[in-house]
Amino acid sequence: MSFPAGQLSQELARAKRSGRLAPFWLATGSEPLLMIESGDVLRACAREMGYADRQVLEMSANSDWSQLLDSAASIGMFEDLKFLEVRIPTGKPGVRGAKALAEYVEQPIEGVVTLFTMPRPDWQGVKASWWQALSKASTVIDCDAIERRDLPGWLSARMAANKQSADEEALETFADLVEGNLLAAKQEVAKLSLLYPEGKLTRSQIESSVGNCSRYTTEALVESILTGQPERAARIVDGLEAQGEVFPILMMVLTTQLRNLVKLRTAQEQGQSFVKGVFATPALKAAARRLTLKKLANALSVCADIDRITKGLEVENRDSDPWIELKSVCLFLAR
């Protein structure tokens, strides 16, 4: 069974009513804050249900994996229920760890609940037999980053816990200031609860109190272009420049997606729905329908000019600052 981290409390409420917890839990994803909070919630629930004996193992590829089974089997003298946490910060258990994990989840130990916490492996890692065995045997808590479109709702729920609220416009502003930085978002919500009384907060109150602590990624920039969000695209370019993003890698990702759009648009015009070598997400398909081949060709031409600028060459009718030209082409594509 798998569900988002936001649904964990509901699932645990059902577990309390049934009087038992599943033997294996897996908190995994790309958002560390959600993994930490999920562990806190599950641990508190287990404690309420009598799992008083707790042990934490932090493991890596070089660890002694025999201690996994030993720790699970050694319950305290005066306890009959144990909560075991196995943290794998790298998400890579190594050869010995992979074998130990696969064998461990085959035979649940009576009275022992085990929580595994680790980042989700890449596309190759999720095909590994140990990951397949672990995710199949466990109740999986998906701790992926909150999408930008869902961030205002997440902030609203957090504010509601402090008996505060804000209208849609204020929440959108709040989301712009903390996008990509969920830990900072949590801290800013807590700060608002200290600065202002219970009730509805205005946009000006949020703007004057919340610092700009957003963190952007190249993937977020591509998404804003594909979904036609020019203002967000411009904001992300500014953020990536301020973060010191590696420009050549950014351009490589952008031009790769533009070439994929060309292939997809060409296929669409020929009545085809599949293009070999292109992972056509719904956003990519929608962008291919919106952007013409001429527009995509012009954008690729500008990207070629930007590449020359980054190498110190002068390009006629182009600014010498590649970030300015990048913002220009992103706005061109997002509109």
Side-chain angles (χ1 to χ4, degrees):
M1 180 174 64
S2 175
F3 52 82
Q7 295 180 12
L8 177 57
S9 295
Q10 300 172 18
E11 296 298 329
L12 291 178
R14 280 194 279 269
K16 285 181 182 179
R17 289 195 294 269
S18 67
R20 64 178 298 275
L21 284 171
F24 304 118
W25 296 75
L26 172 61
T28 186
S30 58
E31 182 48 66
L33 174 65
L34 296 182
M35 285 192 277
I36 292 170
E37 291 187 336
S38 296
D40 291 343
V41 172
L42 182 57
R43 190 182 309 115
C45 177
R47 191 181 303 114
E48 289 180 20
M49 296 178 67
Y51 292 82
D53 188 3
R54 177 191 173 216
Q55 186 174 356
V56 179
L57 298 177
E58 187 155 324
M59 309 295 282
S60 68
N62 298 321
S63 299
D64 176 10
W65 281 89
S66 64
Q67 63 182 312
L68 175 58
L69 185 58
D70 292 343
S71 298
S74 61
I75 300 178
M77 184 180 298
F78 302 105
E79 307 291 345
D80 57 359
L81 297 175
K82 182 169 188 172
F83 187 77
L84 177 63
E85 295 183 53
V86 181
R87 300 171 182 172
I88 311 175
T90 64
K92 298 178 180 179
V95 176
R96 289 176 299 174
K99 184 174 183 292
L101 286 169
E103 292 176 352
Y104 181 74
V105 296
E106 284 180 357
Q107 298 290 336
I109 298 177
E110 184 67 28
V112 177
V113 168
T114 306
L115 168 63
F116 300 96
T117 306
M118 70 185 79
R120 182 178 283 106
D122 58 22
W123 66 275
Q124 289 181 314
V126 296
K127 297 179 182 178
S129 57
W130 71 269
W131 176 260
Q132 294 288 328
L134 179 60
S135 56
K136 184 178 180 180
S138 303
T139 299
V140 182
I141 309 167
D142 291 322
C143 300
D144 288 320
I146 305 295
E147 296 286 343
R148 172 59 181 81
R149 63 177 179 272
D150 300 324
L151 190 53
W154 187 88
L155 292 168
S156 178
R158 293 281 170 142
M159 292 176 67
N162 297 327
K163 298 183 180 179
Q164 290 182 327
S165 63
D167 60 28
E168 184 177 344
E169 184 182 22
L171 288 170
E172 287 292 338
T173 299
F174 197 171
D176 288 340
L177 293 169
V178 298
E179 180 181 355
N181 195 341
L182 212 59
L183 178 58
K186 177 185 177 181
Q187 293 170 341
E188 294 296 338
V189 169
K191 183 169 74 175
L192 288 174
S193 70
L194 297 174
L195 292 175
Y196 300 106
E198 297 175 1
K200 192 169 186 177
L201 304 187
T202 65
R203 178 180 177 180
S204 61
Q205 287 174 318
I206 289 176
E207 285 180 323
S208 64
S209 305
V210 177
N212 189 346
C213 45
S214 54
R215 293 286 301 175
Y216 297 112
T217 63
T218 302
E219 290 75 16
L221 177 60
V222 171
E223 181 199 10
S224 67
I225 293 171
L226 297 180
T227 54
Q229 303 178 66
E231 292 182 2
R232 183 173 177 234
R235 188 168 59 250
I236 292 175
V237 171
D238 290 338
L240 290 173
E241 182 180 9
Q243 291 168 204
E245 192 73 16
V246 180
F247 197 85
I249 295 177
L250 172 57
M251 290 304 301
M252 180 187 69
V253 173
L254 179 59
T255 53
T256 298
Q257 288 298 337
L258 288 177
R259 293 189 184 100
N260 286 339
L261 283 168
V262 170
K263 295 176 184 177
L264 201 54
R265 175 71 187 211
T266 303
Q268 288 176 352
E269 291 186 357
Q270 294 174 354
Q272 301 173 3
S273 58
F274 173 77
V275 179
K276 186 177 180 180
V278 176
F279 181 59
T281 63
L284 197 68
K285 290 179 181 178
R289 290 191 293 268
R290 178 173 60 84
L291 298 168
T292 64
L293 286 173
K294 182 179 179 181
K295 193 167 188 175
L296 291 169
N298 288 338
L300 281 169
S301 177
V302 175
C303 287
D305 288 344
I306 294 173
D307 182 59
R308 296 187 188 96
I309 293 170
T310 60
K311 293 174 180 174
L313 303 175
E314 290 188 11
V315 180
E316 188 177 356
N317 299 323
R318 298 289 178 207
D319 196 283
S320 59
D321 186 344
W323 286 99
I324 292 177
E325 291 299 329
L326 174 61
K327 184 187 288 187
S328 176
V329 75
C330 289
L331 288 170
F332 172 70
L333 290 166
R335 286 177 177 146

